[in-house]
Amino acid sequence: MSIVITGAASGIGRAVAELAARPGAELVLADRDAARLDETAELVRARGARALPLVVDLATPEAADEIVAAAAEEYGAIAAVVSNAGLIVGAPLAEMSADSFDLSFAVNARATWLLGRAAYPLLKRSRGALVATASMAATHPTPGTGAYSASKAAVVMLVKQMALEWGPDGIRCNTVSPGPTLSGMTKDVFADLESFEQRANREAREAHIPLRRVGTAEDVARAVLFLAGDDARHITGVDLMVDGGLSTALMPAVGGGTGHPATMREQSA
């Protein structure tokens, strides 16, 4: 199975690559971090898969065509595209520059469209799949990350549009929306449990997650590969939340919801 994975140098992208790596697998690994991308490629090869690392910047429009052309030349086919590369530009909307806003959309949304457009002929031939990493921020606005939230919302609708237009060609298109997840983006937020501030930040998040833990890159990667594979052969146009149930917990978080354990304790006191 030939899979293109962007953002493959770390986090969710690396986890997808590692889980997909097995004898016979053919992976195209794209990222702008050359050193860490090589590490991913070595991990993949150690598991018996072929790996083609490509150092590219998804903020540039030509990157998608370069990735797909290299995949076609190396493997001759593409069974799935995992559009995972992303970034967060943290700033309130009232203070954000136009360049930062545009960069968020270029990497988080436009790159998915360009990858899909470039890979379309090969995905049509293989009746393959495209899976993009969105975020629960696409449906739940988050303070200080307005451009990120808006760009991820764009990804969700963009991929639904792809599903509608490309479904007759046998191409399935879906997104996954992680909640709080241990990854490169969050390593300075709640990954370091030796830090009092990060530990407190993590515990505060986990208190509102029904499964009581933040996610891991592997949790998301498993959902990505499910949607990319034959087990999801009749699923398209779906945004799959991978958030431990956090998106269902808004009312309990603000004290609402009769029957919630916290409410029941208050009533019985």
Side-chain angles (χ1 to χ4, degrees):
M1 185 176 187
S2 301
I3 306 176
V4 171
I5 306 166
T6 68
S10 62
I12 294 168
R14 176 176 286 187
V16 172
E18 289 192 74
L19 287 176
R22 62 195 59 171
E26 300 171 331
L27 307 183
V28 178
L29 310 172
D31 204 290
R32 63 180 180 176
D33 186 335
R36 301 190 72 184
L37 186 63
D38 284 340
E39 292 175 3
T40 302
E42 288 306 310
L43 289 170
V44 164
R45 291 171 183 141
R47 297 188 178 197
R50 297 176 64 187
L52 175 63
L54 300 173
V55 180
V56 295
D57 185 351
L58 271 297
T60 61
E62 59 271 16
D65 287 335
E66 293 173 5
I67 292 168
V68 171
E73 181 177 355
E74 185 76 9
Y75 301 133
I78 295 177
V81 171
V82 177
S83 181
N84 169 73
L87 57 79
I88 295 177
V89 179
L93 289 176
E95 301 172 10
M96 180 172 289
S97 69
D99 285 345
S100 293
F101 189 87
D102 289 346
L103 179 62
S104 295
F105 273 79
V107 176
N108 296 340
R110 186 183 68 186
T112 295
W113 164 56
L114 292 174
L115 276 167
R117 186 182 69 173
Y120 168 79
L122 292 171
L123 290 175
K124 181 179 179 180
R125 187 186 309 162
S126 67
R127 300 183 70 81
L130 179 145
V131 183
T133 304
S135 169
M136 69 175 298
T139 49
H140 295 273
T142 306
T145 63
Y148 177 79
S149 297
S151 65
K152 290 300 188 179
V155 170
V156 171
M157 182 50 67
L158 170 68
V159 174
K160 287 179 183 292
Q161 187 72 24
M162 288 176 170
L164 177 67
E165 295 189 15
W166 297 350
D169 298 311
I171 302 172
R172 297 181 299 102
C173 303
N174 297 287
T175 54
V176 294
S177 281
T181 303
L182 293 168
S183 69
M185 282 188 180
T186 61
K187 64 182 177 62
D188 298 323
V189 180
F190 50 67
D192 183 5
L193 295 183
E194 298 300 316
S195 162
F196 174 81
E197 182 179 355
Q198 289 198 35
R199 176 185 284 274
N201 198 355
R202 183 158 163 180
E203 289 175 351
R205 282 168 164 77
E206 290 178 334
H208 293 299
I209 298 172
L211 290 182
R212 295 297 188 266
R213 68 175 179 86
V214 300
T216 66
E218 183 179 336
D219 293 330
V220 183
R222 288 184 178 278
V224 168
L225 289 174
F226 163 70
L227 290 173
D230 289 341
D231 286 343
R233 65 185 183 183
H234 204 54
I235 298 174
T236 196
V238 165
D239 179 39
L240 177 59
M241 287 284 183
V242 188
D243 64 353
L246 179 58
S247 56
T248 69
L250 175 61
M251 289 304 290
V254 297
T258 302
H260 186 267
T263 306
M264 295 172 66
R265 284 196 296 271
E266 291 171 1
Q267 291 174 343
S268 62

